[in-house]
Amino acid sequence: MSLLTFIFGISTVQAVTLCGVEGQKHSVERYEFAILGNTRPLDVKSDPVAGRIGPTKGVTESLLKDIAKESPDCVVFVGDMVKNGSKKEWKKFEKNQLALIPEVSVQPVIGDNEAIKDPKYLNTEILFPDMGTDIGYNRVGSWSYFDVDTNGTSWRILVLDANKEALTSRWNEQQLWLDEVTKGDFDSMFVFVHLPWYNLAGSTPKMNPNGHPEELISYVEGSVDMLKVRGVFFGGGHANQVLLPNGPYGTLHVGAGGGGAPAEDLYQWQSGMEHGLVEKPELESTFVDVLREQVDRLHGQSSLSPATLDKAYNTGTYKDFPGLFEGTQVPTQGWWELVLKGTKSSIVYHHHLTNGSVEPIYELHYSDKRGWKGYKK
């Protein structure tokens, strides 16, 4: 038994290799990320109250097994990996999640659940001792960066923490750090963060909590050359989603929160004014088409209710209202694949089916000529 196991009760049978420690650089022809969030178990007290009552049993296990078969270079957990940050919950995470991907490097992104019972992230650091930037004084920095060079194209990968309440004074330290890492010689950037600026998941979608995600991401966008921030992957909201709030040349926002915790409804659009936004948050149009195909597929297997169909297609009693995919009937759960190869970046959505299998159904490609564009897979 190791000293850490004896003192903290968290075993480290196999050391957890991070995708990148602070400032590390990978030089490869191709680099593949697998991204998913909200992989924590069901919380029987809080989930039903919040309207999170969609499928959950076995979903995370199916997704991680599918990722293991793909054998990516890096698995990014975009937050809420555990119900809370206690040692007991991290031990469950190691046993039930990490054990399914033993050969793959991991990049943890801190969510709001990780801060519960452990606002200083000390228990997180036990499992991931190399996580984050070094801020000294036995404190844990929950932000970091590493670079991926693909045949001469340099991609900067930022891992950020938008939970200002938990960070307290560390929030300012993170921004000072950003002043440094947004400089330097890199061509494009992807950001991983838990709390969302834009979010269409939930019975009442929660976007940009307290303005902190917008503050953080805007700070990054304002610190680099225009169009360098290629995309943001976030974990808030228990559904997978794709938004281009500023058009195809703007920053892509990908929600990876459908990782297995109880699924939520996914709206097709919302009024920006109701959420204090200038833009109208809406799902990328091809993604909507692909999800509607899944509705048809499910309806063919077992008849869905007229209300479920009306909501998905904006018809009948739901005409002119924001369409939505019901989390209980049409959960948007799965994982995202991000591939960097040369100057190109592509994204594939692997959708979890009701029979437990996982299949790719949608993809996005970026080009200088047309920006981001979605396709049916």
Side-chain angles (χ1 to χ4, degrees):
M1 178 181 294
S2 71
L3 181 61
L4 285 178
T5 304
F6 178 77
I7 297 175
F8 297 107
I10 296 179
S11 66
T12 51
V13 175
Q14 183 168 342
V16 180
T17 302
L18 294 186
C19 303
V21 297
E22 180 78 0
Q24 185 176 355
K25 185 173 186 176
H26 302 283
S27 295
V28 293
E29 290 186 5
R30 180 183 184 275
Y31 196 89
E32 179 183 343
F33 295 89
I35 304 148
L36 72 170
N38 294 329
T39 56
R40 63 164 178 79
L42 166 71
D43 190 318
V44 294
K45 293 182 179 180
S46 66
D47 282 327
V49 173
R52 298 187 288 263
I53 56 175
T56 184
K57 187 176 181 180
V59 176
T60 297
E61 180 180 357
S62 294
L63 297 180
L64 290 174
K65 286 182 176 179
D66 191 63
I67 289 171
K69 288 189 293 184
E70 182 73 20
S71 190
D73 297 288
C74 173
V75 176
V76 182
F77 289 91
V78 281
D80 285 6
M81 299 161 270
V82 291
K83 288 195 290 187
N84 60 64
S86 68
K87 302 179 188 71
K88 179 181 178 181
E89 291 300 318
W90 279 117
K91 192 171 183 178
K92 290 179 182 177
F93 171 78
E94 184 184 19
K95 177 182 177 181
N96 298 329
Q97 297 186 48
L98 286 185
L100 299 175
I101 49 170
E103 305 299 324
V104 187
S105 298
V106 170
Q107 195 67 41
V109 179
I110 297 297
D112 41 353
N113 275 32
E114 281 75 35
I116 298 172
K117 296 186 178 181
D118 187 29
K120 295 183 179 180
Y121 307 143
L122 297 177
N123 294 333
T124 308
E125 189 185 34
I126 297 168
L127 190 57
F128 303 106
D130 296 321
M131 183 192 78
T133 190
D134 183 5
I135 57 175
Y137 303 103
N138 294 316
R139 298 175 306 141
V140 179
S142 48
W143 55 91
S144 63
Y145 86 95
F146 63 94
D147 291 333
V148 177
D149 185 288
T150 54
N151 289 335
T153 297
S154 182
W155 306 86
R156 180 142 295 180
I157 308 302
L158 287 190
V159 177
L160 302 180
D161 190 344
N163 192 345
K164 193 172 185 177
E165 282 82 5
L167 289 178
T168 59
S169 63
R170 288 174 291 172
W171 177 266
N172 295 328
E173 292 180 79
Q174 181 177 220
Q175 289 192 307
L176 289 171
W177 170 86
L178 279 172
D179 289 338
E180 297 300 320
V181 301
T182 50
K183 301 173 184 175
D185 185 19
F186 61 92
D187 299 292
S188 296
M189 174 186 291
F190 280 96
V191 177
F192 296 105
V193 66
H194 178 70
L195 294 175
W197 183 348
Y198 304 96
N199 169 47
L200 293 170
S203 54
T204 303
K206 295 179 180 179
M207 301 189 206
N208 197 26
N210 299 311
H212 299 153
E214 178 183 4
E215 179 184 350
L216 190 62
I217 296 167
S218 293
Y219 195 85
V220 173
E221 291 178 327
S223 300
V224 299
D225 294 340
M226 188 176 295
L227 304 182
K228 269 198 171 183
V229 181
R230 190 69 58 86
V232 175
F233 285 86
F234 62 90
H238 289 218
N240 292 309
Q241 50 190 305
V242 185
L243 304 94
L244 284 164
N246 294 296
Y249 294 100
T251 302
L252 174 73
H253 290 256
V254 179
E264 292 182 305
D265 293 343
L266 177 64
Y267 282 85
Q268 294 168 20
W269 59 271
Q270 287 276 286
S271 166
M273 293 182 63
E274 293 180 7
H275 296 276
L277 301 170
V278 175
E279 311 86 0
K280 174 186 176 183
E282 57 186 336
L283 294 178
E284 194 274 328
S285 59
T286 304
F287 189 64
V288 173
D289 294 340
V290 167
L291 292 183
R292 284 175 174 170
E293 288 184 358
Q294 295 305 309
V295 173
D296 290 339
R297 184 177 185 174
L298 289 170
H299 189 50
Q301 296 169 354
S302 179
S303 294
L304 298 173
S305 71
T308 296
L309 296 173
D310 282 345
K311 290 173 183 178
Y313 283 95
N314 285 124
T315 55
T317 57
Y318 224 73
K319 188 176 181 180
D320 299 326
F321 287 91
L324 68 84
F325 301 100
E326 289 185 316
T328 53
Q329 305 299 315
V330 193
T332 53
Q333 295 170 308
W335 64 276
W336 294 92
E337 171 189 342
L338 168 64
V339 175
L340 308 177
K341 186 177 182 180
T343 62
K344 297 180 179 179
S345 54
S346 60
I347 296 171
V348 177
Y349 173 50
H350 297 255
H351 185 61
H352 184 269
L353 305 178
T354 54
N355 64 5
S357 62
V358 182
E359 66 178 46
I361 63 172
Y362 169 82
E363 60 187 330
L364 285 150
H365 295 275
Y366 182 89
S367 71
D368 292 336
K369 184 177 181 179
R370 62 173 179 265
W372 285 108
K373 185 172 176 59
Y375 301 88
K376 297 179 183 179
K377 184 71 174 170

